[in-house]
Amino acid sequence: MPASALPLPALHALHALHALHARGVTVVVEIGSGVPRIAHWGAPLPDGTDLAALALGVQTAVPQSGLDERVELSLLPEHATGAFAHPGLLGHRAGGLAWAPVFGTTAVVTSPDAVTWTGVDTRAGLELSIRLELHAASGVLTLAYAVTNAGTDDYTVDRLSVTVPLAAAATEVMTLAGRWGKEFQAQRQPLLVGAVVRENLVGRTSAESSPTVLAGETGFGEELGEVWAAHLAWSGNHAVRAERAPDGRALLQAAELLLPGEVTLGPGQTYAAPLVHAAYSGAGLTGLSGAFHTYVRSLPGHPTSPRKVLLNTWEAVYFDHDPPELMRLADRAAEVGVERFVLDDGWFRGRGDDRAALGDWYVDEAKYPGGLGVLANHVVGLGMEFGLWFEPEMVNPDSDLYRAHPDWVLGVEGYEPVLGRHQLVLDLGRDEVYDYLLERLDSLLTEHPIGYVKWDMNRHLYGAGHHGRPGVHLQTLRLYDLLDEIGRRHPDVEIESCSSGGARADLGILRRTKRIWTSDCNDALERQQIQRGFSYVFPPEVMGAHIGPPMSHTTGRVHTLAFRAATAFFGHLGLEWDLSSATDADRTGIAEIVALHKRMRPLLHGGTVVRAEHPDPTALVHGVVAVDGSEAVFVYAQVAASATTLPALVRLPGLDPARSYAVEVLHLPGEDRRPGKAGPAWQDQPSYVADGATLGSVGLAMAVHHPETATLLHLVATTVEPAR
């Protein structure tokens, strides 16, 4: 069905309802003379639903001791109309004028999957556009807002918030907090009268506050409960908000958090807010992440080829670069099945530690007298891809670049810039900085057989001024421009988003990269929760997950190879380990693990992620089920000592209830072999087969587990998919 436009003469008396339908969700948009509202966003409605009755039925009463007219929640709450919510547009002209606009409809275009609305406030001299698109395959609702200055003088945008309503059932909020080395930690609290707000002002997405807010029924879990979520696709400052008004109505909001004067529109100029991706699930968090994963997998440029197992040299050599030793490490990597060898920090001129040389992107001739090509060609000759680490946005004061151009950094004039990790931030808004970085990156990628870039960014932005004004907004846009241009010039080079670990993880950066480094912490115990939180929005094939050495670099904990491998197994697998110093047994074990991962990669990176509710909080259960239900792999991870001597039955959700599955334990090298008593009876059988309904609702007994151990289960359907 083609898009349709409503005739302009009819707009003054307009009242129209438009339903968008997708997998597991319906959105009903009510269009009138002002900003549209969502009359329903949630459970799917059957064809033929009386939309007029629905819209009428959900209109609120007029409360006592309030305004005399009914005020519904629109997609842009307006202060001047009496909206209860935080205003969707905050801004002003000189003297504080045009600060409370009210928009009237000027055009509406609808199609089966989208509504595009435009409106104007002639007195304020502003135009507003809102586009809602419901993606059929995923059920994710994408919202795009833009405001245009239609006046004759400047208009300053302070905030433009995307706003969506919450159903009355949404009484609990979950956000993702954290810190360096402990990202994506779920925090829950009741949604009472008032607002739950997460604001980020550190200039990058941050480890402390993910741009994602979720709300659902009290006690919503992995498999049960209605859940709604909004994610801001933006890599700079942000604010997300869940709010309940005194009258009981609730909403989610997400916006770029603009610093004073960052966006001032001249006549005719437009500010486009970052996209917001919103999802609904009637089947808990697993259903919600399924929607986000399906959406991400539909994006242009999302990787479709097998995710190459890599070795990153950081924890193997740090800054101690010796080409012969690195070539021996590459030999070891190739022997265990590694497909990509990534040379981390320390390869460029003058880089002996983290205090010097950032910005001087020239190969260090003292470390590499024959040039970087000797090592790169050796790696390629072994059948692996060569990757290289960069931190383009940063500069050390102790660098040739800074000595030549001290004015190239972000800062506040008249004040000393704040150092972080002994470095400052280059001002990408300056054309000369942008051009220098583009030339250096382009030259290195052209001169060497580089197939992969680890793009790092290791500090917050404080006092990030550009020509005297706040510059985070411009810095983020120019970062996107730089990544886009590198992608155009080198389309076969894969870029990883790394930022002190997972401090730049959002769907804005992921449109320009193919992998996110989840955390600098390779401790498998910490990673269990870090990766779980990451998986609520991002699919496993973009999740950097490495097997580190026996003792964790960040925590000092020691784990078995099996536990480290089982934790990293589901993501984009890598190694961060000096294999030259590993034992023969460890290298043999790693080769087995890499081979198993490669064999199961199509399932791991193409199936549906499921996370089970488990009654024992000391254990976590999650897995991946093939889209056609033919195969699955699960992990049972004991993350602490249980209060009981026997594990609770482990349910395996997401299987086809009408099919039977052969279940086997995948024994990983380096498992904890401490003596114990007999395991569960089903494991003693030559083969064990059970139907998907039983496995999903009743579950399986597990062997007694010591803390910080894990078991992988592989399931293969023994019966064909029943006719539908």
Side-chain angles (χ1 to χ4, degrees), residues 32 43 47 87 89 101 179 230 233 270 290 382 407 418 471 480 562 711:
D47 291 339
L89 175 61
R179 60 167 174 81
T270 297
L382 292 169
D407 57 329
V418 178
Y480 288 168
T711 293

Side-chain angles (χ1 to χ4, degrees), residues 343-672:
L343 186 67
D344 209 289
D345 195 355
W347 57 268
F348 48 99
R349 189 179 296 165
R351 186 68 163 174
D353 54 34
D354 66 352
R355 295 173 179 267
L358 277 178
D360 297 341
W361 300 112
Y362 296 88
V363 177
D364 192 328
E365 301 90 342
K367 291 182 179 179
Y368 295 91
L372 195 59
V374 176
L375 174 61
N377 291 329
H378 180 78
V379 168
V380 173
L382 292 169
M384 295 186 293
E385 184 178 84
F386 182 68
L388 196 59
W389 178 95
F390 292 89
E391 194 172 3
E393 299 151 77
M394 299 297 156
V395 64
N396 289 121
D398 183 8
S399 67
D400 292 341
L401 182 68
Y402 184 78
R403 283 185 283 272
H405 302 286
D407 57 329
W408 279 15
V409 299
L410 291 169
V412 181
E413 293 179 8
Y415 297 86
E416 280 295 315
V418 178
L419 285 172
R421 293 176 56 120
H422 317 292
Q423 58 198 51
L424 299 169
V425 186
L426 290 170
D427 184 356
L428 300 184
R430 288 176 174 262
D431 290 341
E432 59 271 32
V433 174
Y434 179 95
D435 292 343
Y436 167 76
L437 292 175
L438 178 59
E439 184 278 327
R440 283 289 75 223
L441 291 165
D442 183 42
S443 295
L444 287 160
L445 294 177
T446 300
E447 294 164 5
H448 301 92
I450 298 170
Y452 184 85
V453 168
K454 181 179 179 181
W455 188 296
D456 210 344
M457 191 277 198
N458 277 314
R459 62 155 287 177
H460 291 337
L461 275 60
Y462 294 114
H466 166 76
H467 293 316
R469 301 178 65 179
V472 174
H473 171 75
L474 179 60
Q475 183 83 355
T476 308
L477 292 177
R478 294 293 274 170
L479 166 67
Y480 288 168
D481 289 343
L482 185 57
L483 286 165
D484 290 343
E485 184 59 27
I486 292 295
R488 279 190 288 270
R489 296 189 184 194
H490 303 276
D492 296 328
V493 174
E494 183 171 317
I495 299 176
E496 171 187 7
S497 172
C498 176
S499 185
S500 306
R504 192 181 265 166
D506 61 82
L507 294 183
I509 202 69
L510 194 58
R511 285 183 175 271
R512 297 158 173 90
T513 58
K514 290 182 168 60
R515 186 186 204 249
I516 293 174
W517 181 225
T518 321
S519 177
D520 281 345
C521 181
N522 279 325
D523 181 317
L525 182 62
E526 297 293 341
R527 274 278 182 153
Q528 287 287 333
Q529 289 290 0
I530 292 170
Q531 294 177 181
R532 196 176 187 89
F534 182 90
S535 72
Y536 289 130
V537 174
F538 305 99
E541 62 268 25
V542 302
M543 179 177 72
H546 292 181
I547 302 172
M551 178 179 286
S552 169
H553 163 82
T554 54
T555 67
R557 286 196 190 101
V558 176
H559 293 128
T560 64
L561 175 58
F563 186 61
R564 282 142 51 215
T567 302
F569 191 76
F570 289 79
H572 183 180
L573 183 64
L575 305 174
E576 196 130 356
W577 189 354
D578 183 3
L579 296 181
S580 299
S581 64
T583 66
D584 290 343
D586 277 344
R587 285 196 293 270
T588 299
I590 292 169
E592 294 177 17
I593 292 161
V594 169
L596 177 63
H597 175 83
K598 289 179 180 178
R599 179 164 64 85
M600 304 195 75
R601 211 161 30 188
L603 168 63
L604 294 169
H605 297 162
T608 301
V609 172
V610 291
R611 294 177 300 271
E613 293 287 358
H614 192 63
D616 187 344
T618 68
L620 297 173
V621 181
H622 67 89
V624 181
V625 180
V627 174
D628 64 2
S630 62
E631 188 180 10
V633 60
F634 284 84
V635 63
Y636 172 86
Q638 192 74 43
V639 296
S642 177
T644 61
T645 56
L646 292 175
L649 294 178
V650 173
R651 294 182 307 101
L652 307 177
L655 302 171
D656 188 334
R659 300 172 77 174
S660 294
Y661 292 85
V663 187
E664 66 169 332
V665 175
L666 295 176
H667 292 287
L668 295 177
E671 284 184 344
D672 189 328

Side-chain angles (χ1 to χ4, degrees), residues 8 79 102 159 166 285 332 395 472 489 503 514 616 663:
L8 288 175
H79 181 76
V102 177
R159 190 178 302 190
L166 284 173
L285 290 164
R332 293 294 195 187
V395 64
V472 174
R489 296 189 184 194
K514 290 182 168 60
D616 187 344
V663 187

Side-chain angles (χ1 to χ4, degrees), residues 63 84-85 192-194 243-249:
F84 69 85
L192 305 174
V193 173
E243 183 173 3
R244 185 176 303 283
D247 64 19
R249 288 179 291 176

